[in-house]
Amino acid sequence: MSRIVLKAILGFVMRVLYRPKVEGMERIPATGPVILAGNHVTFIDSLFLGLVVKRPVYFIGKDEYVTGKGLKGRLMAWFFTSTGMIPVDRDGGHGGVAALMTGRRVLEEGKVFGIYPEGTRSPDGRLYRGRTGIARLTLMTGAPVVPFAMVGTDKVQPGGKGRPRIAPVTVRFGEALDFSRYDGMDRDRYVLRAVTDEVMSDVMELSGQEYVDMYATKARAA
């Protein structure tokens, strides 16, 4: 119920202010498990994705967003969980495995799972190399991958911080990708890289971003 109420209120405000343009919505299956994989340029990407997609979309998020103390902490926890975030401790030694298993559970329940293959927000607006977790998920579950691109959200919240500004936003969805030809090969690193690169290639075409063949975390550290 809280998810419905929040989407109705927040959705109304965001539609009035930003009037997001959506392209290719019909490419998202109406039922069954599906992975939405896209670029990540700012914090509010997930809000726009959850707003425009008719089905509920679930994401992995840092558990620190829901563990705050006091009224502020409770409000933050309510907000993030109501937007579809599933908290996971990603900083621990098994953070990657926990995130992967959580995504698998969501898909096996026939739901929509949103993922940013870059693993973190782009430090400079370019598109970076994808992590192979996206490939493991689609090969383990058989769920199709629908690539998407956020265009303009970097103008709404430059640098991923500060008060959002008013700017045009477009969300583009590409054709669903079926990787059933690789069934049973979810441990083959060459297959995992090939699947991931194919997804990122479609995201790059949809977003128009310059591609950088290195991980965003390394670029951020540098």
Side-chain angles (χ1 to χ4, degrees):
M1 181 60 70
S2 62
R3 185 186 184 107
I4 296 174
V5 172
L6 181 63
K7 185 171 183 177
I9 298 174
L10 186 61
F12 174 77
V13 173
M14 293 180 73
R15 284 191 179 92
V16 170
L17 292 178
Y18 299 102
R19 300 183 182 277
K21 181 180 179 182
V22 184
E23 301 174 1
M25 176 67 73
E26 71 281 357
R27 292 166 173 166
I28 301 177
T31 60
V34 60
I35 302 170
L36 302 182
N39 60 332
H40 195 18
V41 292
T42 187
F43 177 79
I44 61 174
D45 290 334
S46 299
L47 294 182
F48 276 104
L49 187 64
L51 167 65
V52 302
V53 177
K54 297 178 181 178
R55 298 176 60 186
V57 182
Y58 296 87
F59 301 88
I60 293 297
K62 296 179 180 179
D63 62 347
E64 64 189 59
Y65 292 147
V66 300
T67 56
K69 304 295 184 181
L71 178 60
K72 180 180 179 180
R74 291 195 295 272
L75 287 174
M76 286 184 62
W78 174 81
F79 175 81
F80 284 110
T81 54
S82 296
T83 56
M85 193 199 86
I86 302 174
V88 171
D89 180 4
R90 298 186 301 176
D91 295 328
H94 300 287
V97 175
L100 186 67
M101 292 301 103
T102 300
R104 181 176 183 174
R105 174 175 56 80
V106 169
L107 293 168
E108 288 178 343
E109 292 175 354
K111 299 176 181 178
V112 181
F113 186 69
I115 186 172
Y116 302 111
E118 291 169 279
T120 187
R121 292 193 298 271
S122 170
D124 54 16
R126 296 184 292 177
L127 185 69
Y128 284 82
R129 195 180 198 205
R131 301 279 182 175
T132 57
I134 174 68
R136 292 182 185 277
L137 276 177
T138 185
L139 297 185
M140 286 191 301
T141 64
V145 178
V146 174
F148 72 87
M150 291 289 172
V151 181
T153 53
D154 57 329
K155 303 297 189 300
V156 173
Q157 197 176 34
K161 298 179 180 179
R163 182 177 298 177
R165 306 173 183 178
I166 305 300
V169 172
T170 299
V171 186
R172 297 192 183 110
F173 296 97
E175 296 287 350
L177 302 174
D178 177 13
F179 295 104
S180 58
R181 62 188 182 278
Y182 296 124
D183 186 40
M185 303 177 71
D186 59 281
R187 294 184 179 276
D188 188 313
R189 63 190 182 97
Y190 295 105
V191 169
L192 295 177
R193 175 46 54 192
V195 169
T196 304
D197 288 347
E198 184 174 340
V199 172
M200 297 308 290
S201 177
D202 278 21
V203 173
M204 178 182 66
E205 184 175 347
L206 291 166
S207 69
Q209 292 170 283
E210 176 186 350
Y211 180 75
V212 183
D213 193 22
M214 69 181 295
Y215 292 120
T217 49
K218 291 185 177 180
R220 188 182 296 276

